[in-house]
Each structure stands twice: as structure tokens, then as C-alpha cells.
Amino acid sequence: MSLSMKPATPCTFPTTTRPAKHVSVRCCTLTQTAVRPLKMSLDTHQPAVKSWEHLLDPLDYDPMASLFTSRAVKLGNKWKEYLGVKNWEGLLDPLDENLRGEILRYGSFVEAAYRSFNFDSSSSSYGACRYPKSTLLARSGLHQTGYRLTRHLRATSGIRLPRWVEMAPNWVATKSSWIGYVAVCQDKEEIARLGRRDVVIALRGTATGLEWLENFRATLTPVPNADTKPTHHDDGDGDDSEPMVETGFLSLYTSGTDEVPSLQEMVREEISRLLQTYGDQPLSLTITGHSLGAALATLTAYDIKTTFKRAPMVTVMSFGGPRVGNRSFRCQLEKQGTKVLRIVNSDDLITKVPGFVLDEEDADVPKDQNVYVAGLPSWIQKRVEDTQWVYAEVGRELKLRSRSCPYLKNINVATCHDLKTYLHLVNYS
């Protein structure tokens, strides 16, 4: 693979075919030459995706058609480094090219989840998946990934609504909706390239009315069945608080109905099956999501490591995710060995909510972007924490900035949060 930087040019995707075993993709001056052809063509007959998190199209091109992949790069024994076994030390600034390719690859799985969701609120199948498992990736724009879908996933709101709401439009009354999928790498050549068999859980962002309401339930609530033993920090102070997470996110993860199991039950059942099938092989679980999906990805990783004591390496790659839990929750994630890479656009307001940050040493977040309360007496800090609005950042952060990219045609709240913007910035950084 060779990379070269060229003078600034508009983002394009070549329409001509180069000689065999050679493909060039141009996006924001980045050119990659790969050993094998890149096949990312779109299903041109599918309708345009419309959602509340895709309010304005930030780009003049389709990122699914112009993303490059690191498919020709053999990760080999270094695959754990790209999944964060060393907390991505030396890989983020500047961004390692192999890691860039992996981030884009996992981001494309999330974009496929968006494309597969039925956003048409006038449709009787609103909130469902538009495609069957056998064709979802191809029909959403991902061809020859080497992965096969093994399970559809749904999320259910735990908010109780009055009976008259049943007469409301679908986007208001839909309680349970398709939110993503589980896919397993089955292609021998791709397994050899990755250095292991990879399991992907991809989760979309907010779509339905009840999901939006859950987002606003921002107080912290205890995590069921969590390890509540005191957690000690480097400063020697003990933290005897219990792990707590945002109420709405936990509700969407753990709620179910008589007809539909909870997202938690679906994930546990599928991971149990996959571990029984592939547990004796080199295996990784990579959970990726955008916005609400990023928050649920973090909860999913925590739950997997809590439930399956012999779980393989679990990594979260989240795009534009909000805060999820308190400092004790973060400490439990670290204790489990769960690795979290947060891809954050510093112009994206969603990454700065809910609640506020009290800990001066939280993750990689600079003090000028969050509310930090330092030097307060311990009894005042305790009172503040008792409000159940004190969150903590988790994992490592890859920071991007939409205002630094000359190819974004709109810079506003919606486009700064859009997944297309994130994929574009990762490609451009």
C-alpha cells in the first residue's frame, strides 16, 4: 500500500477502471493504492435515507462510495494493537494509516445499519429492517466484506405511555425498533488478513420518538448486577460509589416486551452461541455505533465482559457518542480490560452531553471543552455527585474538527454530528 498527499481537490470517486490489482480512491487529497480491487458500489435503486440525525447532507459525495479500506494490509500479529491492547499509544497523533482504515471499515458497518433502517413513518413496517440478513450488507452498499450477518438486533423503550398514544403516528408510538446487527467474518482470506476471526456488532443512532425521549432521561441510575466493590484511583482516594449509567440508555438496552426480547437478551444469546462455535479460535468482538448507538455499544461491551468471564478481546469504536456513565462505571470498564476508542468531532455538541464532568483527570478531554469543578471541599463534591448528573469520559479519544475541513459544505449542529461527517474527517485527518 502506498499513500501520497496531493494538492487540495474536491472529493471524487474515479469512474474509470485501472489495471487489475490496482485501485485508487481520492477523497480530500488522500490517495491509496491497494493490492486488490476495492468494491464499495451502491445499490442505486434504494431510496435516500432520511432520519433526524441526517437532517442535512454535509458532503457533496457519498462516503460509502469513496471510503478506502485497509483490506490489502495484513494486520497479522499486530491486530490487538489496532484494537487497543496498548490503548492506541503512538497510533492516534498522527493517525496511523492502518488504524485509519480499520476505523473507516467499522464506520461503514454503522452506515449500513442506517441505510437498512426503514425511516418511512407512513409505512406499516416503520422501524423494521429493510433487508434480510443474507443481502443486507450488499444492498446497503458494502460488497465482499467477508462478513455474514448472524442476528438482527432490536431496542425497546421502557417508557410507559398512555393507551391513547397507540392512535398516534408510528414515529411516536413505536416502542421497539430494529437498531443493528451482528456479523461474523467468514472469509478465510479476510480472517488471515485480520489475524483473527472478527465479530462485529453495529448499532445505528436515534430514529424513533421514544428513542429521543429516552435520550433526555439523563440522570444516572445503577447498573444491575454490577461489581460494587470500592475502586481505588492513582491518587489513593477510594471511590465507594456504584457504577451508574444514563437512565435512558440503560432502558433501551434492558427493556423488552412479551413479543420482543431486550437488546441485552439478544446480544447475550448471540454472543453465547458464537463463543461456543468459535471460542477455540483467535477471536475479537468489535462493537461500533454512532450517537445513541455509540452509547449502547459501550453498555453492550460492559455487559459482555460482565456476563462472559472468558470473553475474548472486546473493543468499542464509537462515533459521536454522548457520555454514558459515572467514574465508577469507567473504572469497571478499565478493570474488565474493555477497550474504548471514541472518535469525537470537537464541534459536535452531542459529545459534550449529558451531565457534566467533575473529575479533573477524565480521559483525554481538554478542560476547555467541559465543565470541570476543581478544588472543592470533599463534602461539596459529594453533594454534587449525589445529584446523579456527574459523568466521566471513557477510553481514548481521537479528536477531529469539522471546521478545519474545507470540503464540508455546511457547518452546523446537525452536520457536525452526522456520521458521514465523521467518516469524512477520519479519511481527511
Side-chain angles (χ1 to χ4, degrees):
M1 178 181 73
S2 63
L3 290 166
S4 61
M5 299 302 295
K6 296 183 178 181
T9 55
C11 302
T12 60
F13 186 72
T15 56
T16 58
T17 304
R18 292 181 178 269
K21 297 187 179 181
H22 184 90
V23 62
S24 293
V25 180
R26 290 195 301 132
C27 179
C28 295
T29 75
L30 183 63
T31 301
Q32 179 189 35
T33 301
V35 177
R36 287 184 285 166
L38 173 66
K39 296 184 179 180
M40 296 282 287
S41 61
L42 295 175
D43 179 357
T44 57
H45 299 291
Q46 68 178 16
V49 172
K50 297 180 180 179
S51 78
W52 292 356
E53 289 190 344
H54 287 59
L55 295 176
L56 297 173
D57 192 351
L59 306 172
D60 288 317
Y61 74 104
D62 192 325
M64 290 284 277
S66 57
L67 286 179
F68 73 85
T69 72
S70 60
R71 189 174 176 84
V73 179
K74 188 172 183 178
L75 303 182
N77 294 331
K78 291 187 175 182
W79 67 268
K80 289 186 177 181
E81 295 182 29
Y82 295 115
L83 289 183
V85 70
K86 298 180 180 179
N87 293 318
W88 295 280
E89 291 294 337
L91 298 178
L92 300 178
D93 189 17
L95 181 58
D96 178 90
E97 293 301 332
N98 293 341
L99 178 58
R100 184 199 311 273
E102 289 300 285
I103 292 173
L104 290 172
R105 190 169 68 88
Y106 287 115
S108 67
F109 282 117
V110 182
E111 182 65 23
Y114 273 116
R115 293 187 171 208
S116 302
F117 184 79
N118 184 356
F119 286 99
D120 184 2
S121 58
S122 64
S123 170
S124 60
S125 59
Y126 169 74
C129 182
R130 299 168 56 215
Y131 309 125
K133 290 186 296 184
S134 59
T135 61
L136 183 148
L137 292 177
R139 295 179 69 179
S140 61
L142 292 180
H143 298 272
Q144 297 185 349
T145 62
Y147 287 73
R148 178 175 62 85
L149 259 71
T150 62
R151 179 92 185 229
H152 285 302
L153 299 174
R154 298 181 68 88
T156 301
S157 170
I159 295 177
R160 294 185 179 182
L161 298 175
R163 291 185 178 180
W164 60 263
V165 174
E166 297 177 0
M167 305 299 294
N170 284 341
W171 69 271
V172 175
T174 297
K175 196 173 183 65
S176 177
S177 59
W178 185 86
I179 199 165
Y181 57 87
V182 181
V184 181
C185 188
Q186 301 284 17
D187 181 74
K188 292 182 179 180
E189 187 176 358
E190 182 68 352
I191 292 173
R193 183 191 77 81
L194 293 174
R196 83 286 182 188
R197 187 185 298 273
D198 186 41
V199 176
V200 171
I201 300 177
L203 303 170
R204 60 161 177 81
T206 309
T208 70
L210 286 180
E211 288 172 0
W212 277 104
L213 290 180
E214 293 282 25
N215 287 343
F216 292 124
R217 299 174 66 190
T219 56
L220 291 162
T221 190
V223 181
N225 303 320
D227 181 1
T228 57
K229 294 180 181 179
T231 303
H232 294 276
H233 303 282
D234 294 337
D235 57 9
D237 294 333
D239 179 11
D240 58 0
S241 63
E242 58 185 330
M244 303 178 77
V245 296
E246 202 251 24
T247 301
F249 300 155
L250 185 63
S251 172
L252 286 168
Y253 186 67
T254 59
S255 298
T257 67
D258 293 339
E259 297 79 21
V260 181
S262 68
L263 176 59
Q264 180 183 57
E265 291 174 304
M266 293 180 182
V267 167
R268 287 181 176 181
E269 181 179 303
E270 184 63 10
I271 295 303
S272 176
R273 188 186 70 83
L274 293 176
L275 291 180
Q276 290 179 10
T277 304
Y278 305 114
D280 59 343
Q281 305 176 19
L283 188 68
S284 63
L285 302 180
T286 311
I287 312 170
T288 183
H290 171 248
S291 192
L292 169 63
L296 293 177
T298 304
L299 283 178
T300 300
Y302 176 88
D303 187 55
I304 289 174
K305 293 293 284 187
T306 301
T307 305
F308 303 97
K309 301 304 181 183
R310 296 184 179 180
M313 187 170 185
V314 176
T315 299
V316 175
M317 287 195 180
S318 70
F319 299 83
R323 297 169 187 149
V324 179
N326 65 357
R327 185 172 63 176
S328 182
F329 175 72
R330 182 192 70 191
C331 292
Q332 289 299 317
L333 281 171
E334 294 171 351
K335 181 179 178 181
Q336 292 176 341
T338 301
K339 302 301 178 180
V340 180
L341 179 61
R342 295 180 296 113
I343 296 92
V344 174
N345 179 359
S346 59
D347 296 317
D348 181 4
L349 296 178
I350 300 300
T351 64
K352 301 173 176 63
V353 296
F356 59 92
V357 175
L358 186 66
D359 190 345
E360 289 183 287
E361 299 180 354
D362 266 330
D364 302 319
V365 183
K367 295 185 176 73
D368 61 353
Q369 293 190 18
N370 295 282
V371 179
Y372 285 82
V373 183
L376 293 179
S378 59
W379 68 272
I380 294 181
Q381 291 204 22
K382 178 62 175 176
R383 291 288 184 88
V384 173
E385 291 175 352
D386 287 344
T387 65
Q388 297 185 0
W389 279 83
V390 180
Y391 284 73
E393 309 290 3
V394 300
R396 291 296 304 274
E397 181 181 278
L398 171 61
K399 184 176 297 181
L400 310 169
R401 185 172 176 81
S402 57
R403 295 183 186 277
S404 67
C405 182
Y407 303 107
L408 295 177
K409 64 182 182 180
N410 293 305
I411 303 295
N412 53 50
V413 173
T415 59
C416 286
H417 183 58
D418 198 289
L419 178 59
K420 291 181 181 179
T421 300
Y422 273 87
L423 298 183
H424 179 86
L425 292 174
V426 171
N427 206 356
Y428 176 72
S429 62

